[in-house]
Amino acid sequence: MRTDAQSPAPHVADSHDLIRVHGARVNNLKDVSVEIPKRRLTVFTGVSGSGKSSLVFGTIAAESQRMINETYSAFVQGFMPTLARPEVDVLEGLTTAIIVDQQRMGGDTRSTVGTATDANAMLRILFSRLGQPHIGSPQAFSFNVASISGAGAVTLERAGKTMKERRSFSITGGMCPRCEGSGSVNDIDLTQLYDETKSLNEGALTIPGYSMDGWYGRIFSGCGFFDPDKPIKKFTKRELNDLLYKEPTKIKVDGINLTYEGLIPKIRKSMLSKDVDSLQPHIRAFVERTVTFAICPECDGTRLSKEARSSKIKGISIADACAMQISDLAEWVRGLDEPSVAPLLTTLVRTLESFVEIGLGYLSLNRPSGTLSGGEAQRVKMIRHLGSSLTDVTYVFDEPTIGLHPHDIQRMNDLLLRLRDKGNTVLVVEHKPEAIAIADHIVDLGPGAGTAGGTICFEGTVEGLRTGGTITGRHFDDRAALKETVRTRKGTLEIRGATANNLRDVDVDIPLGVLCVVTGVAGSGKSSLMHGSVPASAGVVSVDQAPIRGSRRSNPATYTGLLDPIRKAFAKANGVKPALFSANSEGACPTCNGAGVIYTDLAMMAGVANTCEECEGKRFQAAVLDYHFGGRDISEVLAMSVNEAEEFFGAGEARTPAAHAILGRLADVGLGYLGIGQPLTTLSGGERQRLKLATHMADKGGVYVLDEPTTGLHLADVEHLLGLLDRLVDSGKSVIVIEHHQAVMAHADWIIDLGPGAGHDGGRIVFEGTPADLVAARSTLTGEHLAAYVGA
């Protein structure tokens, strides 16, 4: 036996304590090499667009997910999304990555907080076991399952004989038959579909896309159900019914088999079955003009059938349970003492308590998931990981403090530290100093954004960052001071008796002509007040948090409308059609169809994208590149940054005022470094938000409502944003900002604070006045945190 106290040599398995990245080149990363400690909390910082997401999500998390997918059989991989291998030389020490990003949850009208977190599934089982009267299995309580029954003869083969037997079946579902589980019914205003004084051939239809020149024209002319030359007001009852309501019917037009269907069922399928916010702007405008949505009178908006609502536990139906605030529901479930379903109750209580713990106790399970803000959606996704007993996993978070009041950030920090203390690696992309301060290790990217970023400026501790001399280090302890003088209002926007969501009959006068900040803890009713109660006629331009959608063919030039004046300028200078200067139209390279790359699909393996040899990635056919404007061809113009293009179109022979104005707005919101032809899919969350703000700055409106414009902004960029807000107010606009960032609060002329808590503990105005008064009073949570921030 050995008695000496010599410690044994470390086991070789314990030597893998680092995630090593070598030579990462995803998006704007410039051969980045970094070592990240495992089982620690590492925060990635840097200005918006510096490459944080490219390193964390596009490289480390993407490769981890790809390698896990490769462990499945080829058959299973065929059903999974294929992920390309990131551009990186070496990636070592990876563990399973669980990604909790800011992607808004699906806008499907049938998706609710309950269905997205499995809480509904557990409630359905609970009611199917304990509910009185007993009405059926868990699907009898699901608003996505319709009740159906049927009977008929089936043919069977038995012992070599063919036999017929009568069979019947029935499924009891919980779907309300009137609204089909959507909770609302819609009526269509027929006067918005057509002009009854005209015939179809004269262009009576006013529905987007329904012109008589295309397929619809051929179908209406050849169907024989009505005369396309007769004004619609002279149609017989039958003809009008065929035009509007006819069920799908097979017809033959010019020898081609087609299906004719009435306008209303067709519109319901193509436009009304989708989430209104996901529609193209002109179609959304048509739907909002044409359709009136009302709460379903049969189920009262609960989506559930009469039978599902009749079964109760201790006087509470499943509809009542889903409508409760989650913190109250957790209390109710705790009071159910039923040994037969004990494991189910334990799991359900744990899930509901996770909501409360993460600061979402104010939600209800029947809240549509598409209405959650980016921060709320991210925290809902966190819920399934909180009680997890997995260890040695890499959790990847994308700005988990978004949408959180300073009061709530402390709770989020505690959760991140708890995940780390269980033996997990936690990687966080973050801008808030309160969240950076808890890091064990910091990686700061930069120094600038876009092509000026993509390198590592600093690695180390929080103390090292403070003295490191990087942009983040220099701004880390920045604190905005309260303004010496505030602007005086030039009028008021009156809101009376606001009751949307949790608002309690709120009356408030919002000052105009100043910078007004609406604040309060998450869930206190800020968005309900501004988006749900501000009168639409007030000339309000609302910039919400909804993400901008865009494919790899979209870029800042197409999204902002900048490409139109550029195309026209090129066409005028060269005497040709504007369509030639679009890579999505006639000017596209025929080999790659204007994509610039050729994609080869390799089934379950990652597809390969090769630069098109014909156009060398320029996306245009060679003949188009012979046309010049201001000495540049169209591909060279699209390769410019916003700042370069602003200079190019601002003076000289290339002067184009329409293009210059749009570029000026992009530069104003701090996107001067962005390439105007850069695909939207490569933009970070903060860049997309500011791109959206730039497009809305051209809108004709006197009042701007901005929903958390500091989302995804670095401390240094917040200063830039405050300058932009000041310029907007000084130009005569009224700016109302829903915001938690203390720098914006300190800079405001007027603050409206909602609270005091979230959900049914909020919904009231707890303070109105100047920031200085709020700090002096310290009467609210916001006041306490703002006072600490400005050092009062």
Side-chain angles (χ1 to χ4, degrees), residues 42-118:
T42 301
V43 172
F44 294 79
T45 65
V47 296
S48 179
S50 60
K52 304 180 298 296
S53 296
S54 300
L55 177 59
V56 180
F57 290 92
T59 307
I60 298 169
E63 180 64 354
S64 170
Q65 288 212 313
R66 189 185 73 85
M67 294 178 86
I68 289 167
N69 287 2
E70 283 188 355
T71 64
Y72 297 107
S73 67
F75 173 73
V76 174
Q77 285 184 55
F79 295 98
M80 300 173 86
T82 52
L83 302 164
R85 188 182 186 284
E87 280 190 76
V88 60
D89 296 333
V90 181
L91 264 177
E92 288 178 344
L94 289 178
T95 69
T96 306
I98 292 174
I99 298 173
V100 188
D101 60 15
Q102 285 176 38
Q103 286 296 318
R104 299 290 283 265
M105 296 173 90
D108 190 322
T109 49
R110 296 185 175 279
S111 173
T112 64
V113 169
T115 59
T117 55
D118 300 336

Side-chain angles (χ1 to χ4, degrees), residues 453-582:
T455 58
I456 294 204
C457 303
F458 171 83
E459 279 184 85
T461 61
V462 179
E463 292 314 311
L465 178 71
R466 277 194 164 99
T467 55
T470 65
I471 292 181
T472 309
R474 286 201 303 275
H475 288 273
F476 191 75
D477 292 311
D478 274 6
R479 295 291 180 266
L482 295 171
K483 289 201 291 200
E484 296 284 323
T485 56
V486 293
R487 300 178 182 94
T488 52
R489 63 177 71 191
K490 293 176 182 163
T492 52
L493 184 63
E494 291 185 3
I495 293 177
R496 295 288 177 265
T499 54
N501 297 331
N502 65 332
L503 294 177
R504 303 193 174 189
D505 207 15
V506 169
D507 295 341
V508 64
D509 290 337
I510 298 173
L512 298 178
V514 299
L515 175 58
C516 174
V517 170
V518 179
T519 186
V521 295
S524 57
K526 305 178 298 298
S527 296
S528 302
L529 181 66
M530 296 318 304
H531 296 311
S533 310
V534 170
S537 59
V540 174
V541 177
S542 184
V543 187
D544 60 15
Q545 284 187 0
I548 62 175
R549 291 170 169 81
S551 68
R552 56 176 175 251
R553 285 183 173 273
S554 317
N555 52 46
T558 58
Y559 183 78
T560 57
L562 170 65
L563 203 55
D564 289 339
I566 292 177
R567 282 201 304 249
K568 284 174 185 163
F570 265 91
K572 191 175 176 186
N574 293 284
V576 290
K577 283 195 295 187
L580 279 175
F581 301 99
S582 168

